[in-house]
Amino acid sequence: MSHHCTDDQRSARDGNLSELATGSATTDAVAIVATLDTKGREASYLADIIEACGRKTILIDVGTGRDGGDKPADAKTPTELLKQIAERTRSKVGDLLGAGTISAIVGVAGGRASAVFGEVVSELPYGFPKFLVSSARPALLAELATHSDIILYPTLVDLFGINVFTSRVLKNAGRAIAATRYAPVKLGRDKKIVAITAFGATTPAANQCVARLADAGVDAIVFPANGAGGHKMEQLIAAGEFDAVIDLTITELGDEIVGGTASAGPDRLKAASRQQIPQVIAPGAIDMVNFGLPSSVPDQFRGRQFYAHTPYTTLMRTTASANASIGRLTAERLSRAKGPTMVLWPAKGVSDYVVGGIEAWDPLRLDLDALLDKFWAAGFSGVINYPTISTMGDNWRDRRGRVGLGFEREVELIALARKKNIFSLAYVASPQDAKAMASAGADCIVPHVGATRGGLVGHEEGQSVKEAIRRINEINAAARSIRSDVLSLCHGGAIAEPEDTIEVYRTTECVGFVGASSIERIPIERAVKTAAAEFKAVPLPQTH
């Protein structure tokens, strides 16, 4: 039988592991784990493929249907039986590895045997070739991938003998694993190694960290913060593989709390503290929870704000309550740290989702539907009615409204965004505006309480913070009389400094602040004035 590889090595297929491990001086073999009572033909076929490529094979039977053999006799339930088989097989595979007999392993399995295979390889070293040809349900395979660096070959059809479909998968898997072998890592290392977490939003920061560490002669190992990545990183930290951690992306905590698909489990953010190694933590991408296809999102989350990150990845925005829970959990776990620990807060936020301002009453942009599509295609994740006509005075607003280019156009914009499932913020200047925008489907309203005070060109006169809070509460109450789930941010007027927002958050339902002049014009004015004053203060040299 030819399978496009050469040579024909003898295999050990009697399943007697004690003889195989101590008898012949077999080395560099591939262990094949299968239930030989149900998958014997597939395992034999796979062995032929591997041997035709020049590698020896060892068949390991984890079946429960054969008489005799090494099957545990004291199991009281099927689950207990599978657990005992997995434990004994894991020990024997470890012996084979220790003796240098095997340098790769592959499983051929359905659902139950796939779970057994996951247990069998759970203690094999990271990087040891682990392949699994399986017809198990995708959720089980995903769970296995979360806990180990298994290379999966889903069959998509059931494993019922050798046919035109199963032979393709077995050939591909056989040739692939025949070309891989384990190369043990040498004890000791010349360089320090730092673990880093990354996601889409934090990739630029991770790249900078990797580059600066490389300049310092330090290796960086980056883990995707997708559940499996964080879980494996914690395991390797606990095993002493790293000298420090730059945990830029703790988004997996959000999935752990809310119930997303990218949870790394209850041990996330613990290993570095236990190992007492330096760690730097930043809450990258913490404002999102991960799911798969839109149809996979549980019904309990209906009505929440979602983003189609890819056709197969749906992101759900976290709520203020969830964010508070994530913060508490982070603080609780880091409070146990014994080594140097630092938490950094990104000055520009934790997400890379950008909201674009649309001037809905611009007579040169009449097709709002096409305009929204253009913004979405450009990469914006949301829109806001800015500049807004709501703050430009009743006379101007009324005159624009008579020709169909007034505030109603902004309401139409927000309604279209809702229809297209695009996140929207809506500036509103009155309770009536708030009701209109809430009815249109705005995800978040922004009570605009006037031009920002302060600075060189700001309004020095006008309302107090107390008056601004009164207006904000009126506007928020009007919006929530239409929809209780609408969020609220604050902007403008006397709310010009960070300390101003403290009272706003304490006495209103606002969960954030939209900064404009207060975070760009006023700080720049101060910096320029300070720099100019310092230059002017330098005395000129004395002339003679």
Side-chain angles (χ1 to χ4, degrees):
M1 180 185 302
S2 174
H3 296 293
H4 306 290
C5 289
T6 60
D7 203 356
D8 183 18
Q9 301 290 334
R10 292 181 58 80
S11 63
R13 303 191 186 185
D14 62 4
N16 191 329
L17 291 178
S18 59
E19 292 182 8
L20 290 171
T22 60
S24 63
T26 299
T27 59
D28 196 32
V30 176
I32 301 176
V33 179
T35 54
L36 296 184
D37 54 333
T38 61
K39 300 293 185 290
R41 287 178 293 174
E42 293 86 345
S44 181
Y45 185 85
L46 180 61
D48 287 340
I49 300 291
I50 296 170
E51 291 169 12
C53 293
R55 296 285 292 279
K56 298 176 183 179
T57 61
I58 296 175
L59 253 59
I60 302 175
D61 186 10
V62 293
T64 60
R66 285 186 165 190
D67 295 329
D70 198 27
K71 183 173 67 177
D74 55 346
K76 297 179 181 179
T77 65
T79 300
E80 188 176 342
L81 175 61
L82 292 176
K83 183 178 179 180
Q84 291 182 15
I85 290 174
E87 290 175 351
R88 295 189 184 189
T89 307
R90 180 171 60 238
S91 176
K92 292 174 180 178
V93 167
D95 292 340
L96 290 172
L97 174 61
T101 304
I102 62 172
S103 58
I105 190 168
V106 58
V108 183
R112 290 195 301 176
S114 292
V116 170
F117 182 79
E119 291 297 317
V120 167
V121 302
S122 62
E123 295 182 1
L124 290 177
Y126 180 80
F128 186 92
K130 313 170 190 74
F131 288 63
L132 176 60
V133 181
S134 176
S135 60
R137 56 191 173 86
L140 173 58
L141 298 181
E143 184 66 20
L144 292 176
T146 300
H147 298 286
S148 180
D149 56 330
I150 298 174
I151 299 174
L152 300 171
Y153 277 82
T155 61
L156 302 184
V157 298
D158 214 339
L159 286 166
F160 267 80
I162 307 303
N163 55 53
V164 67
F165 287 96
T166 59
S167 63
R168 295 180 197 173
V169 178
L170 291 169
K171 286 179 182 178
N172 287 339
R175 292 168 186 159
I177 199 164
T180 61
R181 48 182 46 85
Y182 179 56
V185 178
K186 296 180 180 179
L187 294 177
R189 53 180 184 252
D190 298 330
K191 293 183 177 180
K192 290 188 178 296
I193 304 178
V194 174
I196 301 175
T197 53
F199 225 29
T202 57
T203 295
N207 286 335
Q208 290 288 327
C209 290
V210 170
R212 297 193 67 176
L213 288 169
D215 291 341
V218 177
D219 280 345
I221 307 298
V222 181
F223 293 84
N226 58 8
H231 179 83
K232 178 54 63 176
M233 183 186 74
E234 296 289 332
Q235 286 183 331
L236 293 174
I237 293 171
E241 294 286 351
F242 298 108
D243 300 291
V245 181
I246 301 177
D247 209 341
L248 296 173
T249 321
I250 59 172
T251 182
E252 291 154 318
L253 296 183
D255 288 78
E256 179 183 345
I257 287 175
V258 178
T261 58
S263 170
D267 290 328
R268 185 70 173 89
L269 212 63
K270 292 181 178 179
S273 297
R274 291 170 178 164
Q275 291 294 110
Q276 301 183 29
I277 61 174
Q279 55 181 326
V280 176
I281 296 91
I286 202 63
D287 61 334
M288 293 290 178
V289 175
N290 297 266
F291 294 100
L293 294 168
S295 59
S296 71
V297 179
D299 290 342
Q300 70 192 75
F301 297 121
R302 284 184 179 178
R304 295 280 292 276
Q305 183 62 47
F306 295 97
Y307 300 92
H309 185 63
T310 73
Y312 302 99
T313 303
T314 304
L315 302 180
M316 181 180 75
R317 180 75 73 174
T318 53
T319 63
S321 175
N323 290 338
S325 297
I326 294 167
R328 282 191 292 269
L329 181 63
T330 302
E332 176 188 331
R333 292 182 180 175
L334 292 180
S335 66
R336 300 187 176 96
K338 302 299 183 182
T341 302
M342 177 180 291
V343 178
L344 302 178
W345 187 263
K348 296 184 179 180
V350 300
S351 174
D352 65 350
Y353 283 87
V354 180
V355 174
I358 296 181
E359 185 180 352
W361 38 277
D362 185 344
L364 301 179
R365 294 179 173 84
L366 296 178
D367 190 346
L368 293 178
D369 191 273
L371 192 58
L372 275 173
D373 290 343
K374 185 176 180 180
F375 267 66
W376 185 257
F380 289 92
S381 56
V383 294
I384 185 172
N385 58 325
Y386 182 83
T388 176
I389 203 170
S390 64
T391 61
M392 295 185 180
D394 292 340
N395 184 41
W396 176 249
R397 176 171 170 168
D398 291 342
R399 292 173 64 183
R400 298 286 296 189
R402 292 173 193 169
V403 295
L405 294 173
F407 185 73
E408 295 75 18
R409 285 273 294 175
E410 298 182 20
V411 174
E412 181 185 353
L413 169 72
I414 300 304
L416 279 171
R418 183 72 174 190
K419 183 179 179 181
K420 294 176 178 289
N421 199 31
I422 297 175
F423 179 77
S424 63
L425 293 93
Y427 271 124
V428 291
S430 69
Q432 293 74 25
D433 290 349
K435 288 183 177 180
M437 285 300 191
S439 298
D443 297 291
C444 180
I445 62 165
V446 184
H448 194 308
V449 292
T452 302
R453 291 171 52 183
L456 298 178
V457 296
H459 292 254
E460 294 295 338
E461 301 177 355
Q463 67 186 203
S464 62
V465 172
K466 184 177 180 180
E467 174 61 15
I469 289 173
R470 184 190 67 78
R471 289 186 58 190
I472 289 170
N473 281 330
E474 287 181 354
I475 292 171
N476 285 345
R480 285 182 170 79
S481 71
I482 304 298
R483 282 192 12 250
S484 61
D485 64 335
V486 66
L487 298 174
S488 177
L489 307 178
C490 58
H491 172 78
I495 310 168
E497 302 291 342
E499 53 267 26
D500 298 331
T501 64
I502 296 175
E503 187 65 9
V504 174
Y505 296 153
R506 191 182 70 81
T507 57
T508 75
E509 293 182 312
C510 290
V511 295
F513 169 71
V514 176
S517 294
S518 54
I519 63 172
E520 27 93 345
R521 175 178 60 81
I522 295 175
I524 290 174
E525 289 173 353
R526 288 174 181 160
V528 172
K529 286 178 65 178
T530 300
E534 289 174 351
F535 276 101
K536 290 174 67 176
V538 176
L540 293 173
Q542 296 293 328
T543 59
H544 300 286

